[in-house]
Amino acid sequence: MAAELLLRDEKMMFAIKAEVSDPSAKTFAFTAQKTMYSGKYIARGDTIFVFASENEGGPGLIASGVVTSAEAMAKKRGITRQTPRVSIIVRRTALAKRRLGRRELKGFSDWRDGRAETELNFKFYRQATNKIAGISDEAARFLRRFF
């Protein structure tokens, strides 16, 4: 999988929902995070939006940043189905100025409506799992309005 991280030609946009101990940190380190929705393709230089998981007491969207390091974790032997995991380091580029979390996205549940809000609700709040996920350009444009 490490080769997959290195061979991508275009930049992608990502978001992560994870436990964040210091929301105002200039750098965030996330170790062995689950990936879904193409999250395993995250690479150095990609833009990422950071959601402090409400499951761990966070407020939702807190920051945007740039991935400075991305390393795929090796799969464990003997386990048939494994969610790919990646460790990343993120340099914060902006702090969110408005709130966006589970409460604000809850109403967007028509999974086929094509809205950015619905995409984010589907990928991060339909399941409680913390994860790194690829997001659409439309979702990234929507998230930028919070900075």
Side-chain angles (χ1 to χ4, degrees), residues 48-144:
I48 190 163
F49 297 91
V50 179
F51 286 76
S53 177
E54 285 114 328
N55 296 334
E56 283 87 17
L61 182 66
I62 59 164
S64 65
V66 174
V67 177
T68 59
S69 173
E71 181 182 345
M73 303 289 93
K75 291 187 176 186
K76 295 179 181 174
R77 288 186 163 167
I79 300 175
T80 308
R81 291 182 48 134
Q82 294 182 54
T83 302
R85 291 182 179 265
V86 177
S87 292
I88 62 172
I89 297 174
V90 175
R91 179 179 47 83
R92 177 177 50 89
T93 56
L95 288 171
K97 294 183 182 189
R98 295 187 309 155
R99 180 173 164 73
L100 181 67
R102 181 185 309 271
R103 181 177 52 212
E104 292 77 17
L105 294 170
K106 186 176 182 178
F108 298 94
S109 59
D110 177 359
W111 304 138
R112 296 184 204 139
D113 70 5
R115 295 181 64 139
E117 298 95 322
T118 305
E119 175 185 344
L120 295 167
N121 184 29
F122 180 85
K123 290 181 177 178
F124 289 107
Y125 295 111
R126 186 176 58 99
Q127 300 172 330
T129 308
N130 290 343
K131 64 187 75 90
I132 297 171
I135 60 172
S136 68
D137 290 341
E138 182 181 339
R141 277 191 297 278
F142 171 76
L143 288 172
R144 283 190 184 107

Side-chain angles (χ1 to χ4, degrees), residues 34-51:
K34 288 183 179 182
T35 63
M36 294 178 75
Y37 312 108
S38 299
K40 69 182 180 179
Y41 297 111
I42 195 164
R44 187 171 162 251
D46 285 332
T47 297
I48 190 163
F49 297 91
V50 179
F51 286 76

